[in-house]
Amino acid sequence: GQQLNQSPQSMFIQEGEDVSMNCTSSSIFNTWLWYKQDPGEGPVLLIALYKAGELTSNGRLTAQFGITRKDSFLNISASIPSDVGIYFCAGQNYGGSQGNLIFGKGTKLSVKP
Amino acid sequence: NAGVTQTPKFRVLKTGQSMTLLCAQDMNHEYMYWYRQDPGMGLRLIHYSVGEGTTAKGEVPDGYNVSRLKKQNFLLGLESAAPSQTSVYFCASSGRPGALNGYTFGSGTRLTVV
């Protein structure tokens, strides 16, 4: 089945730094989504992308739907402590009867000690 | 607006015991899902439902059963719990594929099987 490769697996940030993470797939998707999970909570949708090449922002977050439809990127500018958590990418195809999201394994953001 | 509500939030089971996790959504969503989350494994789909009265297997269905008797509820059952089922379980709901806003998740049930 389809799989997503999300990288990096984990990273440490210092307040004020910019952060980048990405997801790649061997097959194409119609939709890319990015979620954030805070400790003890369920994932929450950050950004949804519906067209190849689309660039969408949500505050300090910017995500892009790759032109090949096989990848997506999430950037966080000027990180703050509350940005820590696990970020998941997800891809979706909805042709036909099944359109389940396929999730990456997550990128864990922590604060540098 | 509650969104997706999961009960219970925490549970400890002994090996061989059974239990049911309840998921309720108030968004009139057609689709509902059960995931488990384990360290380093991301979110893995257990079962899902595309409408009232329907269920289907996901990636890791063994040891679990589900029922969707009412549109707003999706139940996940463990008939004979095993330590390998220690995990955090998330329920989610969505409109039809392609609908805006993706999935809405509950806050999870942390299950420990001893």
Side-chain angles (χ1 to χ4, degrees), chain A residues 9 31 33 35 37 40-45 48 50 86 88 92-94 96-106, chain B residues 31 33 35 37 40-43 45 48 50 57 88 90 94 96-108 110:
Chain A
Q9 284 187 319
T31 302
L33 304 105
Y35 286 83
Q37 183 180 25
E41 297 295 329
V44 173
L45 183 66
Y50 299 101
I86 303 176
F88 291 100
Q92 185 179 38
N93 283 322
Y94 42 85
S97 61
Q98 183 173 343
N100 296 337
L101 288 182
I102 309 296
F103 284 91
K105 288 186 165 59
Chain B
Y31 286 56
Y33 314 83
Y35 286 88
Q37 184 177 28
M41 301 295 289
L43 294 159
L45 183 64
Y48 65 99
V50 302
K57 294 180 180 180
V88 182
F90 288 99
S94 74
R96 296 182 183 278
L100 297 179
N101 300 324
Y103 293 10
T104 301
F105 282 87
S107 58
R110 185 173 295 274

Side-chain angles (χ1 to χ4, degrees), chain A residues 4-23:
Chain A
L4 295 184
N5 296 310
Q6 186 172 349
S7 64
Q9 284 187 319
S10 63
M11 57 193 311
F12 288 88
I13 59 172
Q14 214 150 33
E15 188 170 352
E17 286 181 339
D18 294 344
V19 173
S20 292
M21 60 192 77
N22 69 84
C23 258

Side-chain angles (χ1 to χ4, degrees), chain A:
Chain A
Q2 291 175 307
Q3 290 188 331
L4 295 184
N5 296 310
Q6 186 172 349
S7 64
Q9 284 187 319
S10 63
M11 57 193 311
F12 288 88
I13 59 172
Q14 214 150 33
E15 188 170 352
E17 286 181 339
D18 294 344
V19 173
S20 292
M21 60 192 77
N22 69 84
C23 258
T24 60
S25 170
S26 57
S27 51
I28 63 174
F29 286 107
N30 292 329
T31 302
W32 282 94
L33 304 105
W34 285 91
Y35 286 83
K36 184 196 177 194
Q37 183 180 25
D38 290 322
E41 297 295 329
V44 173
L45 183 66
L46 296 174
I47 294 179
L49 303 156
Y50 299 101
K51 290 194 301 187
E54 181 180 355
L55 186 70
T56 298
S57 293
N58 179 5
R60 293 176 296 104
L61 277 62
T62 301
Q64 184 162 26
F65 192 142
I67 198 72
T68 65
R69 296 168 64 192
K70 292 183 179 182
D71 56 6
S72 180
F73 304 87
L74 176 70
N75 295 319
I76 304 172
S77 63
S79 58
I80 60 178
S82 62
D83 288 335
V84 301
I86 303 176
Y87 292 79
F88 291 100
C89 63
Q92 185 179 38
N93 283 322
Y94 42 85
S97 61
Q98 183 173 343
N100 296 337
L101 288 182
I102 309 296
F103 284 91
K105 288 186 165 59
T107 295
K108 184 175 182 180
L109 235 57
S110 305
V111 177
K112 275 183 186 172

